[in-house]
Amino acid sequence: MQWNELIRDVTAISRGPISAENAISEITITGIEYDSRRVGARSVFVAMRGGTTDGNLYIDTAIRQGAAGIVTDSPEAFAQLAADDPKTPRLLVEHGRPALAQLASAFFEHPERKLRATGVTGTNGKTTTAFLIESLLNAAARSSILVGTIEYHVAGEVRPSAHTTPESRDLFELMADGANRGATELVMEVSSHALDQGRVTGIGFDVAVFTNLTRDHLDYHGTMEQYFAAKRLLFDGTKYPFPRVAVLNAGDPYFPALAQAAAKASSQVVTYGVGIHADWRADDVRLTPAGAEFSLASPFGSTRIKSGLAGEVNVLNLLAALAAANARDVPFDQLANAIPTLKPVPGRFQPVDAGQPFTAIVDYAHTDDALRNLTALAHQLIAGTQGRVITLFGCGGDRDRTKRPKMGQAAGEGSDFVVVTSDNPRSEDPEAIIAEILPGLAATGTRYIVEADRTRAIALALTEATPGDVVLLAGKGHEKEQILRRGTIFFDDAEVALSALRALGYGGGR
C-alpha cells in the first residue's frame, strides 16, 4: 500500500507535497505506528497528543528510524517538519486517534467490514459478560475474536491482554488476523477511557451491552456525570455509529437516561433484569454454592435454567449475554442448551481448593460496588450456617482516592473480619493508601487487621478461617503481577493462597 492510497480516506487539515524527489507514491508502506520505538523502514508514524505524553516530541526519532511519512495533530510540528525536512510526506489532522484508526483500517484492509461487533461497557461485569457472549457464539459454531481485560482470543488462540481496549492500530491488526483465520464475530470490552479517547473509532458495533455504572475511574473522568457521558458514547450516536441493538440493564439507576439516548439514536432497545419488568428476565432465583437456578423468560421462549455461575450478579451477566447473543441471531433453544456448558471466568469468583474445610475465593472486585456484590454472594453461600465472611482487599495507587474509604465501608459492612493490605500501590506509599481506607472501615465497627505485605496478608486471612467460613481475596483477580514503587513483580493471588494453604497443612490442588 502506498502513501496516497493509505491517506485517501483520512480527514486532513493540510497535506505536505509529494514530489518526484521523494517518489513516495512508489514506496510500499510497511506499517502504521504510534510508538516511535516501533517505527521501522518505510512505516508511517502517527504523532498524537495524549494525556501523559505527546508523540509529536518523537517525530525526529521516527524519521531517523526510517519513517516514510508523518501524520501529526500538531500544527507546530507540521510546520517544523516542513521547514526541517520538506522531503518527508506529512499530514496534519485535527485529532491523532481518529486518524490512527482511519489509517489502520486502510492498512489492514478493513477487517471491520468482515466482522460483526458486540461491545460491552459498564463498571462491573464487562469481562464475565464478554466471555459469556463469546462462549454462546462459539456454541452456535461462530468463530470469534475476544478483546478484554484478562486475555485476547483470536479464532481459538489465546493471547495475553495488554489493555482492556487497545489502541486502534493494535485492535485493527488483531481484527485482521482473526478475520484471516475465519472469525466472523468480534466481542470486546469497551472501557470508558477508550470511548472518551476515540480508541474504537472505525468500528460499527452491531450490538452494544451496558452492565451497570458505579463509582470508578474518577481520577480520569472527574465526576460521575462525565463518567456516564463517556459510557453513553457507545449508544447515543454522537461520536460513534449507534448500535443496531442496545442491550441494557433495566435495574441500573442510569438505565432511563441511557435507554432514552439509545432510542433517540434509533437503536432497538432490549432490556434485562432480575425480578423486574424486562425483555430477558430471571424470576424465582435460587442461589447455591454450585451456581444458580432460575426461570428464564424472554420474547422468544421461557425455560428453567441451571447455571454453574454463582451469585445474582452472574445471573445478570448471563441475562446480558443471552440477550446479546440472541441479538446476534443465535436462537433461544440453542442458547438455553449452551448454558450448562458455560464456565466461570478466570479471577472472577475463582475458588482455590487445597482440601481445606472452608471456602477460599479469588475475585477481581476493586470498587465499593463490586465489593458489596462479592460479600453479598459470600453471605448467600453461608446462609443458615455459623460461617463467617473474611475479606482481604486493598486499593490501587495513582487512582481515584475518593473510593478508598468507600471500599473500606463496603468491606466492613459486608464482612465479619477484614484484612487490609496492598493492591497495586504503584508510585504511592502502601501505608498511606491504607490510611485512607481505614476511616470508612473503622466506622462500621467490624474487626480488622492491617498487613501491607500482600503475601503475608493472604496467609493471615486464611489462618483466621475456621470450618464453614468464606475467605474473599479481592482486588487482583486474574492479574499475575503486582505494581510497586520499586518495580513490577510476579504475583498471583491464587498461587499465593494455594501456597499458604499448603503451609497450613492442607493438600490437593485447585
Side-chain angles (χ1 to χ4, degrees), residues 402-451:
T402 65
K403 74 177 184 180
R404 293 172 184 174
K406 296 178 185 296
M407 289 184 67
Q409 180 183 357
E413 290 177 347
S415 310
D416 299 289
F417 181 69
V418 176
V419 179
V420 185
T421 187
S422 290
D423 191 282
N424 290 316
R426 298 181 177 89
S427 70
E428 290 193 61
D429 178 2
E431 299 286 355
I433 296 174
I434 290 171
E436 294 186 348
I437 292 172
L438 293 182
L441 174 57
T444 68
T446 298
R447 189 167 66 93
Y448 68 88
I449 59 171
V450 171
E451 173 50 70

